[in-house]
Amino acid sequence: MSGLRGFSGVGRAVWAYVRSAPGTYVWLAVLFVTTVALHRMSPEFEQEFLRQRSTNIHELSRHPVRVLVASAMWIDGGFWAPYAVLYTVFHARVERWLGTARWLAVCAAAHVLATLVSEGALAVAIGEGVAPPSSAETLDVGVSYALSGVVAVLFYGIRSPWRYAYLVVVLVFYGLPLAEGPTFTDFGHFVSVLIGLACFPLVRGRGRARDPERTAAVRPGGGVRG
């Protein structure tokens, strides 16, 4: 019986954590469904399907709002489990800290602005002959720009002096690819990190991010103050 009570307690704690970050886990559930759907497609159909939901230059010039929303609902590559871990470690923590509305604002700013900046840079590169014209229709879907922005904004929720070590790790992780044959996606990731750091006005008055072991004290369905 004690084992069953322990299992029940763990289940309640997990459910409390999920309820404390509703936006994160609804988004993650959507990604699970779309990933399962991708696994049921033929490789040829999958590529064309994702290309129509891609934030490449061609689709952005025709359906900017539709593809900016749709591209954040799919994972290119079909591996969902790593995102479940990353969403729990970063997205859920930031949503619980800032509240759902502010967390979503960080996600949207990083996803949209980094996409527009990186695709704009790619358009310039195509115009100058640095990149081939076919790059205008490159497959570009996924949630990594929003994730990078959230990873960066978490800097403000970490206690000093650890926050500065964290920032160094983030800048090195996202900056190294820029020094080793960068792609427009690498550039977009670094831009999204800068956007996340620029979201400082959204974190004023929020204190530090709440530690995971304090989950049980979280009010279900909303953000918390540190």
Side-chain angles (χ1 to χ4, degrees):
M1 293 296 294
S2 61
L4 290 176
R5 285 196 297 271
F7 181 79
S8 177
V10 171
R12 285 195 299 270
V14 170
W15 179 236
Y17 195 93
V18 170
R19 291 177 64 194
S20 72
T24 294
Y25 289 102
V26 167
W27 192 2
L28 197 56
V30 170
L31 292 176
F32 178 78
V33 172
T34 57
T35 300
V36 171
L38 284 180
H39 282 296
R40 296 178 177 272
M41 299 177 186
S42 67
E44 297 78 12
F45 182 80
E46 176 185 333
Q47 290 298 303
E48 183 57 30
F49 181 86
L50 291 179
R51 188 167 286 107
Q52 293 176 10
R53 289 153 181 79
S54 177
T55 50
N56 57 40
I57 296 171
H58 177 70
E59 293 295 335
L60 277 173
S61 64
R62 299 174 62 194
H63 312 289
V65 176
R66 179 177 68 80
V67 297
L68 281 168
V69 174
S71 66
M73 300 298 125
W74 301 87
I75 299 172
D76 183 22
F79 295 102
W80 179 83
Y83 288 92
V85 175
L86 292 171
Y87 270 51
T88 297
V89 172
F90 294 106
H91 276 299
R93 187 172 185 182
V94 171
E95 184 180 1
R96 294 172 64 235
W97 168 42
L98 296 182
T100 299
R102 295 188 187 200
W103 160 79
L104 187 59
V106 174
C107 291
H111 175 67
V112 173
L113 296 179
T115 295
L116 296 178
V117 170
S118 61
E119 292 296 334
L122 180 59
V124 171
I126 292 173
E128 295 181 351
V130 177
S134 59
S135 300
E137 297 190 39
T138 300
L139 182 62
D140 184 23
V141 297
V143 298
S144 59
Y145 289 170
L147 177 61
S148 300
V150 165
V151 167
V153 81
L154 184 57
F155 160 75
Y156 298 110
I158 298 175
R159 186 193 302 270
S160 297
W162 306 111
R163 65 166 55 180
Y164 300 107
Y166 175 84
L167 181 61
V168 168
V169 171
V170 170
L171 292 177
V172 169
F173 180 83
Y174 288 102
L176 276 181
L178 293 178
E180 300 175 352
T183 66
F184 77 94
T185 304
D186 296 329
F187 178 62
H189 285 144
F190 195 79
V191 169
S192 65
V193 167
L194 298 181
I195 292 169
L197 293 174
C199 287
F200 174 72
L202 293 176
V203 310
R204 288 178 178 172
R206 308 307 284 188
R208 296 191 304 275
R210 189 178 293 270
D211 295 329
E213 60 267 22
R214 298 173 64 188
T215 299
V218 176
R219 175 174 54 84
V224 297
R225 291 180 182 272

